[in-house]
Amino acid sequence: MASFSSSWACGVVLALLPSFFFLALAASNVYIIYMGERHTDQPNLLEDSHHQILSDILGSKESAKESILYSYKHGLSGFAAVLSQSQAKLIADVPGVVRVVPNRILSLHTTRSWDFLHVEPQIVDGILSKSHSGIGTIIGVMDTGIWPESESFKDKGMGKVPSRWKGICQEGEGFNRSHCNRKIIGARWYLKGYEAEFGKLDPNDGVEFLSPRDASGHGCHTSSTASGALVENANFRGLAQGLARGGAPSSWLAIYKVCWATGGCSSADLLAAFDDAIFDGVNVLSVSLGSPPPLSTYVDDALAIGSFHAVARGISVVCSAGNSGPYPQTVINTAPWVITVAASTIDRDFPAVVTMGNNQTVVGQSFHTGREVNKFHPIVYGADIAATDVDENSAGSCDLETLNATLARGKIVLCFQSRSQRSAVIASRSVLKVKGAGVIFAQFPTKDVSCPWSFPCIQVDFAAGTSLLTYIAASRNPGVKFSFSKTVTGQQLAPEVAYFSSRGPSSLSPSVLKPDIAAPGVDILASWSPASSSKPLDSPQNKESPVNFKLDSGTSMACPHISGIVALLKGIHPTWSPAAIKSALVTTASVTDEYGQNTVAEGAPHKQADPFDYGGGHVDPNKALSPGLIYDMEISDYVCFLYAMGYNSTAISLMTRVRTPCRKSAKFLLNLNLPSITIPELKQRLTVSRTVTNVGPINSVYFARVQAPAGAHVTVKPLILSFNSTTKKLKFKVTICSQLKVQGRYSFGNLYWEDGIHVVRIPLTVRIIINDYFYTET
């Protein structure tokens, strides 16, 4: 496992960067030349200037034409080109260049979930009814493409394509203009950056489509979760059967295929997609991808750059938080202008029973509904059938190439998750290869079913695994049988933060609370590409029929839930800024489960969830409809944030082409008008300010209430905020004082503004450090 950066140290500010900074990554031969905000509204002139810069460096227009991959000319200015390291260094010194960024490869990170969130048409005053299911909004999805024949993307009942739409339906392999309709109103695909890194894709290998068509299923899943049409009797091999629908089923979809089934997403391609999406006219962008820590600075991250320019034009950008949980400081996509989404569970389970030869049973979870059930098989523990010269611990977790084929054949193999082997899929592949009959995978307790569906596999917790191990040791001829997996709803506590969901604090900007919000991301049913289902477990001997809907987990699945909700909110509040919409989500989020108990975060062990697990809490779409007060921001606030982070003033001015009076003060980071207050290092006393805007009744009076973090005393001034027809915005100050004389860990509290109808809550997150005032050397 990769190591992660240590906690933020107070007083340490990022070193000032030279005006035209160059970051070298020898592995890449593709570079993004980022030139900030476009200085002209004429794309052709911008493209000519990009070619001229390249021509001057490379020596000829022909060489420039061969080198350039993309000219970014709609939402920002810049280009991507194939260059040597020395050429990239020369371009870094050209006036007007903000950054030369090596191309990076990013990775990709669904019926019941919308009912669980109470996004239902029968709620008369609910968000779905009031927004007319998202009519009038366009959701752009940056992912692996789409399967246009899916029932989720039929255009029955959809309105005409809006006249403001400027996008295209880009043709390619197995995809023509007829595949766009009144639901999928645009589709583009981006491959130049990817192929420049890895070579040409073979259109005849059956792995990918050189078009917007989805070969992996991930893009179908996220698109249909955000905005899929209603599909009756959707299910995954008989499981989770019901009415499938997206969050904003009447919203239009624009597809930007930037990720490929053969291995990831190029940042040069991603930035080109952002540039086009801004030009095309999307309202929301759903981006379920990113890079793991260590995090790049915001001006070296294509996703942060592209989203900055999108948000500057009023487009909300929603991103996944990453799947590296439950470890701290693993959250990604931490720019304050995006909405970063953690994953949570819903109240649906897929239980399967393991019956032992002594008639005792243990219950686990499984997606398997096929053969080899209700029939006894011998059971063995992986460590007891280790292959020659293989460590027993490796065999105990059923790592690849660790099991004796003779001893495993025809048997159920019990495997225990270990530090080096955490995957039920790997264990299943290992057992399948030696012709075992099935797998029982014992692991940390989690509701995420990671067992593959194409091979008999049941996941259990360690307690159940230990019971099975005791049975094996005490029996002369131990055997077990599996039951069919079932679908059970409403019988478990939910939501809980998913085990895999990446956690804060942000390793790049710890004063910015991330993630922002949590949404369903565990065992979500949504549309899938049938092209991805032919070889489960990578075994040609284990072929199964294709599936059109699939259960999947990840923050990738949580992200489009929020994207759909944002589309609904934009339909109701079209003038709200991306910051206002994020504020509405965060300040109305829930921190309790369906039974009113504090939300739990899966982990080792489970614990009460805190803001580093779920940000403001679990999304409550209907409450977000009417938040009462919002914490709003403009693009100038984000510019000052970058100044306060220590980035070069010349580079920042090129990013916006607007002069903003900002001070390079670390205090500004704490005063950024976020719907949260996070203080990474509190010594004695600190005062921060926030401004709220009234979006409720014109004449409103709000009273402050505080739950102080442990070890801190909190005061708010003023304690009462009165709004009327002339006073719509008010500023308040929060003073936090340390009550500890020793180093503390992070502690958490809440600040509430209440008017008798609305409860506007923001999390307070404080870490107290050693206070020099109380200590003298002895």
Side-chain angles (χ1 to χ4, degrees), residues 29 51 58 67 139 177 179 205 241 250 254 256 307-308 329 373 409 471 515 523 564 600 604 627 678 720 727 740:
N29 65 338
H51 278 89
L58 302 181
S67 171
I139 303 175
R177 292 181 184 177
H179 288 117
D205 63 5
Q241 187 162 354
S250 295
Y256 300 87
S307 60
F308 178 89
Q329 298 185 357
V373 294
R409 183 186 293 268
Y471 164 66
D523 302 335
V600 168
T678 304
I720 301 174
T727 305
L740 299 180

Side-chain angles (χ1 to χ4, degrees), residues 10 32 60 85 136 177 230 298 313 403 406 419 425 491 512 515 530 568 609 642 718 720 726 731 734 738:
C10 186
I32 297 168
S60 69
Q85 194 173 109
R177 292 181 184 177
L230 278 62
Y298 295 129
R313 288 162 174 79
L403 302 178
T406 302
R419 282 190 175 186
V425 173
Q491 300 299 310
V512 176
L568 299 179
L642 294 173
I720 301 174
T726 58
K731 184 177 182 179
V734 180
S738 169

Side-chain angles (χ1 to χ4, degrees), residues 342-425:
S344 59
T345 65
I346 60 174
D347 62 342
R348 183 172 59 195
D349 202 5
F350 301 95
V353 178
V354 179
T355 303
M356 294 174 258
N358 59 8
N359 284 328
Q360 292 184 348
T361 61
V362 296
V363 179
Q365 289 201 96
S366 176
F367 286 156
H368 186 68
T369 58
R371 302 180 301 274
E372 304 299 326
V373 294
N374 285 323
K375 175 183 177 183
F376 274 99
H377 288 86
I379 182 173
V380 293
Y381 174 38
D384 293 337
I385 58 167
T388 305
D389 298 326
V390 169
D391 176 63
E392 285 188 4
N393 290 330
S394 297
S397 63
C398 301
D399 208 349
L400 296 173
E401 311 294 337
T402 62
L403 302 178
N404 183 302
T406 302
L407 299 177
R409 183 186 293 268
K411 296 182 176 68
I412 301 291
V413 183
L414 174 63
C415 315
F416 279 76
Q417 184 183 62
S418 66
R419 282 190 175 186
S420 59
Q421 206 301 87
R422 298 173 175 268
S423 170
V425 173

